[in-house]
Amino acid sequence: QVQLVQSGAEVKKPGASVKVSCKASGYTFTSYYMHWVRQAPGQGLEWMGIINPSSGTTSYAQKFQGRVTMTRDTSTSTVYMELSSLRSEDTAVYYCARVRDTIMANDAFDIWGQGTMVTVSS
Amino acid sequence: DIQMTQSPSSLSASVGDRVTITCRASQSISKYLNWYQQKPGKAPKLLIYAASSLQSGVPSKFSGSGSGTDFTLTISSLQPEDFATYYCQQSYSTPPTFGQGTKLEIK
């Protein structure tokens, strides 16, 4: 079945970096754009950026420009999101989410990873 | 960025009720509007895409309508499993943006 499986919870100190993985299965990895969305405790959903798994091309939310890097490994059907210079406000659940339509970069998100909790605390 | 505003922010209803949640965009987004359901500790689940298209596997008790700037999600005959938080999201332009959420609680 189509699924996205993310890496486990992380605890980081302020100023550190975190790298979250998202492994896709059950579909052609390179045919669907992948987005990253985060959710702080008790808060709403915040878009972070997008990667084209075929070309590796990325686009990031302005808020995260310079701190976020999204990459992919086509040999393992995995996308990665690395966030640097972590601060307490980055404490959140981070989700990868696949677009519904193969030709659309910006579309509804039909498949989500289970989420990765990242806690930033000294 | 396009701002998405949901109303109400919270809603109390009883099992068997029919409820409507509204989402308004700060500019026209045609029909590029999606609805999600999220339960505590879980990832969001896509219910409706393109304003009114039911995602595969989602019960027909969920329906969406609207275009331009004003959209609604209607849930008929509420069941205990429907009590959750609902989000709208625009996919008209980058960055995609979400409403602040509507928490549907049992009365």
Side-chain angles (χ1 to χ4, degrees):
Chain A
Q1 72 281 24
V2 176
Q3 63 177 353
L4 301 173
V5 178
Q6 297 183 220
S7 49
E10 304 263 12
V11 179
K12 296 292 183 180
K13 293 193 181 302
S17 297
V18 68
K19 191 171 186 177
V20 179
S21 68
C22 169
K23 183 174 176 60
S25 62
Y27 71 96
T28 303
F29 173 70
T30 52
S31 293
Y32 295 81
Y33 287 83
M34 196 79 79
H35 295 246
W36 287 89
V37 175
R38 78 176 187 179
Q39 186 171 39
Q43 302 301 308
L45 300 163
E46 180 177 32
W47 182 78
M48 298 182 70
I50 178 177
I51 183 167
N52 179 339
S54 179
S55 66
T57 302
T58 56
S59 178
Y60 305 133
Q62 192 165 10
K63 175 177 180 176
F64 301 103
Q65 288 277 0
R67 283 209 303 143
V68 70
T69 304
M70 297 177 187
T71 56
R72 96 295 191 207
D73 181 344
T74 56
S75 69
T76 60
S77 300
T78 303
V79 295
Y80 299 90
M81 187 284 299
E82 184 170 21
L83 189 62
S84 63
S85 302
L86 290 169
R87 36 215 189 221
S88 59
E89 310 89 88
D90 294 318
T91 293
V93 176
Y94 290 77
Y95 295 102
C96 56
R98 191 196 80 165
V99 296
R100 188 189 59 85
D101 194 313
T102 58
I103 65 171
M104 301 285 285
N106 202 2
D107 193 9
F109 306 138
D110 68 338
I111 306 295
W112 294 66
Q114 82 276 19
T116 297
M117 181 71 212
V118 175
T119 303
V120 183
S121 174
S122 55
Chain B
D1 298 1
I2 297 175
Q3 305 301 314
M4 306 301 294
T5 303
Q6 289 181 232
S7 60
S9 294
S10 63
L11 176 59
S12 292
S14 300
V15 172
D17 283 355
R18 177 176 182 265
V19 299
T20 297
I21 299 168
T22 297
C23 179
R24 175 164 288 175
S26 60
Q27 66 183 74
S28 177
I29 57 171
S30 184
K31 300 197 78 173
Y32 291 91
L33 191 283
N34 313 302
W35 289 98
Y36 301 86
Q37 175 194 67
Q38 187 179 33
K39 296 181 179 179
K42 299 295 187 182
K45 173 187 175 183
L46 178 63
L47 301 175
I48 301 286
Y49 64 93
S52 59
S53 295
L54 193 66
Q55 172 67 359
S56 175
V58 174
S60 58
K61 64 190 303 181
F62 294 94
S63 63
S65 66
S67 66
T69 60
D70 295 314
F71 302 86
T72 59
L73 172 70
T74 299
I75 312 169
S76 62
S77 188
L78 281 171
Q79 296 302 304
E81 61 269 23
D82 300 328
F83 292 92
T85 300
Y86 293 84
Y87 293 94
C88 62
Q89 175 236 339
Q90 65 82 14
S91 50
Y92 178 80
S93 67
T94 299
T97 46
F98 294 87
Q100 81 279 15
T102 295
K103 187 173 185 179
L104 178 55
E105 299 174 304
I106 298 178
K107 186 182 290 183

